[in-house]
Amino acid sequence: MPLAELREADAPPAIAAIYDRLRTASGVPLVNLIHRHLATLNGVLPWLWHAIRPPLEDGSLAGARARLAAAIPLPALDPRPADPTILDLVETYNRGNLTNLILLTALRRALAQDPPHPGPPPPRLAPEPMLPTPPPLPRLDALPPSTAALVTGLAARHGAGVVPSLYLHLAHWPDFLAALPTRAAALLDPAAIQAARATTLRFAEAEADAIRPLLAIEGTLPDPRALAPIETFTRQVIPDMVPIGLGLRRLLASGASPG
């Protein structure tokens, strides 16, 4: 079942303004699914934005993001030529997923009062430029049945009951989507996904704890129903997609055809 979400085109002015600030602060030209979902819960997204804004805007998150991306081991992959627009899309999701994994894990662990892992703070990096705007995110129920089956088939490999937006966005290129299980088999095998998830979680918790002191948490979470999706996204959905996205970058970057 699709997750409830408030898409960017449907957002009322107050939520649209937060979406715009999220895009500007992260340099990601779209709003990721977890934020679109939390926007459906009363008061949660404004509270969340206030909490995560400081490390997003002072460069700490960019440093943590770069350090996490460099730490995650990836399998050997055979690069092949591809539409450069696909690589732009993958990079958009990589930045968004790394951002949200670190920030929301930091928030989850702070709310749970988990003991922090000792470690050095991340370097503060200059803001990164906004990535290219991708084509519109399709709606699953509007896709041709054959393409929808490709999307849901990839999502089923994760077992979380959530359709990752990257797979849905790749429906613009159904031939590429159909070839992924073969071309990226080392990334998309369910056992490989689980193993990479565990490794990603370990590194992500260390980076999350490094920025926890910078969070500006005020009061309690406005709607406790937000805890369950934050748990699901930080423990499974996003840690699954981070190594897959970074692997696709490797698969596509070296083999991308000239623009």
Side-chain angles (χ1 to χ4, degrees), residues 18-28 32 35 48-65 95-96 98-100 102-104 122 124-128 211 214-216:
I18 296 173
Y19 282 175
D20 185 60
R21 297 182 82 174
L22 282 166
R23 288 189 295 263
T24 300
S26 63
V28 177
N32 292 107
H35 296 302
L48 176 74
W49 165 246
H50 179 82
I52 66 176
R53 177 180 174 181
L56 258 179
E57 293 190 335
D58 74 0
S60 299
L61 191 279
R65 186 167 59 206
R95 187 182 295 180
L98 287 162
T99 296
N100 292 324
I102 296 167
L103 287 173
L104 296 180
R124 292 189 175 185
L125 302 183
E128 295 174 281
I211 67 162
L214 302 175
L215 296 178

Side-chain angles (χ1 to χ4, degrees), residues 15 30 32 42 50 74 86 101 124 142 147 167 178 197 210 242 259:
I15 295 298
L30 52 76
N32 292 107
N42 188 39
H50 179 82
L74 298 172
I86 300 177
L101 180 57
R124 292 189 175 185
T147 305
Y167 296 152
R197 177 196 307 155
V242 163

Side-chain angles (χ1 to χ4, degrees), residues 82-92 132-135 170 173 252 256-257:
D83 184 337
T85 309
I86 300 177
L87 178 57
D88 288 341
L89 179 69
V90 168
E91 285 297 276
T92 294
T133 301
L170 287 171
W173 300 272
L252 297 170
S257 57

